[in-house]
Amino acid sequence: MPTPWTEEARSAGIPLPEYPRPQLMRTDWLNLNGQWDYMGGASHVIPIKAPLKPPAFPATPEHIKVPYPPEAYLSGIQRKQETNMWYRRSFTIPDSWEGKRVLLHFGAVAYQSAIYVNGHLARTHKGSWEAFEADITDLLHPGRNELVVGARDSYSGRYSCGKSCLVHGDYTFTSGIWQTVWLEPVSRSYIQSLVITPDLNRSIVKVKAEVQGAAKQIRISVMAEGKAVSQVSGSNTTPLEIPISDPRPWSPSDPFLYDLKVELVDQKGIVTDEVKSYFGMRSISLGMVNGKLRPLLNGKFVFQMGLLDQGYWPDGIYTAPTDEAIKSDLETARKFGFNLLRKHAKVEPQRWYYWADKLGLLVWQDMPSMWYPDDQPVRTRKQFESEWQTIMQQHHNSPAIVTWVPFNENWGAYDVRRIAAWTKALDPSRLVDGNSGYNNAPTYRPAPGDPGNGDFADMHIYVGPGDPPQPSATRAAALGEYGGVGLLVPGHMWPGKQKAYEMQPSVEDLTKRFEQVQSNLLPLIENKGLSAAVYTQLTDVEAEVNGIMTYDRKFEKMDRQRVRAANEAVLGAATKVNTRQ
């Protein structure tokens, strides 16, 4: 099933050529996406712990287009449930990089991986969602170098796999490399990461530069639309506070982003490293509005009217065919009048969050679930928590992300109250929804249910909106999923039995049904304190046909202007609440 971007992606020599890390950008880098040798199947077990050499490739190996997973059409392999995967390609370091350290970056590899350069193990990694890197300088030699990647995915459900595991089985799986692979030259001491935290109330932004190598002085410059705003210098060992005079708040109605430049300066005042980034000045908190606890964006109640977004593509599965395709999905949500996306059971590449930041979409970010809730061994919990912490750290700088969601509908949930509190402690600058849809799957043993803490009481009601929870003295009220009304569109459907929570026969009928459901939200917002609602969903996903778009993104299944008007009425209900004070 092709999308409007399939042919462009298929014919590209280097797919997804954009710089993959917009919040820590350097000018010099080398994209390794494109044609790689490939060897897959059940044999050739991936050595994750032992530093063994990779197996020999056949004389005429298969070829795969990285970073599309082997199950995807765009990869050129298109086989389901690859268990062990081997990738190989050669590369040459540019002459201009002489004297530099060379970092090898992976956006994401599912699930376990072993990285070899010129036959030597560079590093291993476990986790499907986090970016990771290796300093490969000492393994390189002049001329042609060989990179081999081994990946293994068991689909067991006993780790964070979201919808991409056997126990769920609803959708096509994603294995192996599924985000951009790239090289980057750096100095011996370099800026490894930035932690950017806006403080709108104090008109400052805090920036902590994590430096690899000897401690150095850093210089931080803030620009707005090309004009200098502020500059400070200091040690990289502590966060620096940069004043922002008369800050322009980031919001869906005005997603204004400040530009940031961070320089590493030696004792002679020479700049040894420079990265560029951006940030949005916004606050997210809870506060009483007319006697009911509400989420406040920049100190004001804004109803969070969202769509569930699972991030699947018929041609690339987890991997969008192009950067423009990512942007188009988010633009569509905005054009239909939604101001929120709940990124469900998946973590996206950094560029997805860049477009959310730039286009002005609030984001609730899920931790992709484990499964088997009855027998979750303690050893998998430690890995789950480590991955969740890394995900939060790697996406901390995105102003769009306003809520972390560690668990969904009790799937693989454990110690929910502790995890919700721990998540909040890790990032007190955002809200936490401890167990979205805690009313679902109550037969799981032990049934975690409502943790009773966190910032939201959140139920899922299909078709709804039904009777969602009301706010308490400590938690706002959310309808984390509802809707799910479907429409069959011949010529734009995935093979198999189509399903939805309710079917409508036409675009007109589906639009009317949406208008009816949205109108039922209004008294819940105005009188009962509902503050957020997430409609299922942005697109059809394989056999699920309850999207506002078909899976191939070629057909909008409801009248856009009428949906937008219905959503504006919902957002207007929040305005009425604000004016009653």
Side-chain angles (χ1 to χ4, degrees), residues 497-511:
K497 184 179 180 180
Q498 312 302 317
K499 58 183 178 180
Y501 290 94
E502 174 185 297
M503 287 289 191
Q504 292 295 325
S506 68
V507 169
E508 173 65 20
D509 289 296
L510 181 57
T511 303

Side-chain angles (χ1 to χ4, degrees), residues 13 33 35 38 52 110 221 225 268 277 321 335 420 444 453 488 527 539 563 581:
N33 291 347
Q35 195 91 315
Y38 179 77
L52 304 176
S221 305
E225 298 178 324
K268 298 179 180 180
S277 189
K335 290 173 182 176
Y444 285 180
N453 63 341
L488 302 177
N527 303 323
T539 73
V563 169
Q581 297 187 84

Side-chain angles (χ1 to χ4, degrees), residues 343-543:
K343 179 47 62 178
H344 183 48
K346 184 190 178 190
V347 181
E348 291 284 1
Q350 295 265 354
R351 291 196 64 85
W352 188 95
Y353 301 94
Y354 164 75
W355 284 118
D357 296 337
K358 197 166 182 63
L359 296 174
L361 273 161
L362 305 174
V363 174
W364 287 14
Q365 178 61 56
D366 285 15
M367 174 59 177
S369 304
M370 296 188 289
W371 293 85
Y372 293 108
D374 297 345
D375 64 350
Q376 215 42 265
V378 173
R379 60 183 174 82
T380 64
R381 297 178 181 183
K382 182 178 179 180
Q383 176 66 22
F384 180 88
E385 292 172 33
S386 174
E387 291 178 29
W388 183 221
Q389 182 172 2
T390 301
I391 289 165
M392 288 191 288
Q393 291 170 341
Q394 292 187 350
H395 297 284
H396 173 86
N397 297 341
S398 171
I401 299 175
V402 294
T403 299
W404 299 117
V405 185
F407 293 115
N408 177 77
E409 293 185 348
N410 299 308
W411 300 343
Y414 66 93
D415 296 350
V416 179
R417 187 176 180 85
R418 176 180 68 83
I419 296 296
W422 175 67
T423 300
K424 187 72 171 182
L426 287 173
D427 187 1
S429 71
R430 288 182 170 88
L431 304 179
V432 174
D433 186 352
N435 189 5
S436 181
Y438 58 74
N439 57 308
N440 280 44
T443 58
Y444 285 180
R445 296 288 184 269
D450 182 3
N453 63 341
D455 295 304
F456 286 102
D458 175 353
M459 294 175 67
H460 295 176
I461 302 173
Y462 286 104
V463 169
D467 187 20
Q470 297 188 32
S472 68
T474 58
R475 295 194 297 174
L479 186 57
E481 292 180 29
Y482 76 109
V485 184
L487 173 68
L488 302 177
V489 183
H492 300 273
M493 296 188 298
W494 194 257
K497 184 179 180 180
Q498 312 302 317
K499 58 183 178 180
Y501 290 94
E502 174 185 297
M503 287 289 191
Q504 292 295 325
S506 68
V507 169
E508 173 65 20
D509 289 296
L510 181 57
T511 303
K512 284 182 177 178
R513 186 69 171 111
F514 181 84
E515 290 171 326
Q516 178 190 37
V517 171
Q518 294 301 86
S519 68
N520 291 335
L521 284 179
L522 303 182
L524 299 175
I525 299 167
E526 296 178 26
N527 303 323
K528 293 193 174 184
L530 186 68
S531 292
V534 180
Y535 184 88
T536 300
Q537 58 185 322
L538 177 61
T539 73
D540 292 351
V541 180
E542 299 196 359

Side-chain angles (χ1 to χ4, degrees), residues 129-361:
W129 317 105
E130 317 96 88
F132 63 96
E133 66 187 43
D135 185 335
I136 61 171
T137 312
D138 298 335
L139 303 179
L140 298 173
H141 51 60
R144 178 181 173 275
N145 291 270
E146 183 181 77
L147 170 61
V148 174
V149 178
R152 180 170 68 197
D153 200 337
S154 68
Y155 311 98
S156 69
R158 289 181 169 85
Y159 59 89
S160 170
C161 55
K163 298 293 185 73
S164 188
C165 53
L166 283 171
V167 68
H168 190 276
D170 279 0
Y171 313 134
T172 302
F173 308 113
T174 286
S175 301
I177 299 171
W178 68 276
Q179 292 186 29
T180 292
V181 184
W182 50 293
L183 294 169
E184 178 182 44
V186 295
S187 302
R188 186 166 296 276
S189 292
Y190 64 94
I191 300 166
Q192 188 171 42
S193 64
L194 298 175
V195 182
I196 306 170
T197 308
D199 189 335
L200 185 61
N201 293 332
R202 296 175 59 204
S203 297
I204 63 169
V205 61
K206 297 179 183 179
V207 179
K208 175 70 167 67
E210 301 290 344
V211 174
Q212 182 70 26
K216 296 285 184 73
Q217 289 289 105
I218 58 172
R219 182 166 60 225
I220 302 175
S221 305
V222 175
M223 291 75 66
E225 298 178 324
K227 297 179 181 179
V229 172
S230 190
Q231 186 179 90
V232 300
S233 297
S235 171
N236 72 283
T237 57
T238 58
L240 297 184
E241 295 186 352
I242 303 100
I244 309 296
S245 178
D246 191 22
R248 182 172 166 182
W250 181 97
S251 70
S253 60
D254 184 21
F256 182 77
L257 298 173
Y258 289 85
D259 294 313
L260 188 70
K261 181 170 71 173
V262 183
E263 297 167 300
L264 201 58
V265 184
D266 67 13
Q267 293 179 344
K268 298 179 180 180
I270 298 173
V271 175
T272 60
D273 191 21
E274 176 185 310
V275 296
K276 293 182 179 179
S277 189
Y278 67 86
F279 63 92
M281 290 296 293
R282 68 104 182 90
S283 65
I284 185 72
S285 60
L286 294 181
M288 285 293 178
V289 180
N290 253 353
K292 291 184 172 60
L293 196 65
R294 306 278 193 174
L296 306 180
L297 180 67
N298 305 326
K300 181 180 178 181
F301 170 45
V302 175
F303 190 85
Q304 298 183 26
M305 185 62 254
L307 283 167
L308 197 73
D309 178 12
Q310 305 198 62
Y312 275 77
W313 299 84
D315 47 9
I317 313 176
Y318 266 4
T319 309
T322 68
D323 191 61
E324 185 60 33
I326 295 174
K327 180 184 177 184
S328 179
D329 261 13
L330 274 62
E331 285 179 326
T332 297
R334 294 295 283 137
K335 290 173 182 176
F336 272 82
F338 295 93
N339 66 5
L340 166 77
L341 288 177
R342 179 180 168 203
K343 179 47 62 178
H344 183 48
K346 184 190 178 190
V347 181
E348 291 284 1
Q350 295 265 354
R351 291 196 64 85
W352 188 95
Y353 301 94
Y354 164 75
W355 284 118
D357 296 337
K358 197 166 182 63
L359 296 174
L361 273 161

Side-chain angles (χ1 to χ4, degrees), residues 39-46 55 83-86 151:
M39 181 169 59
S43 60
H44 304 300
V45 174
I46 312 302
T83 303
N84 293 291
M85 295 142 278
W86 286 100

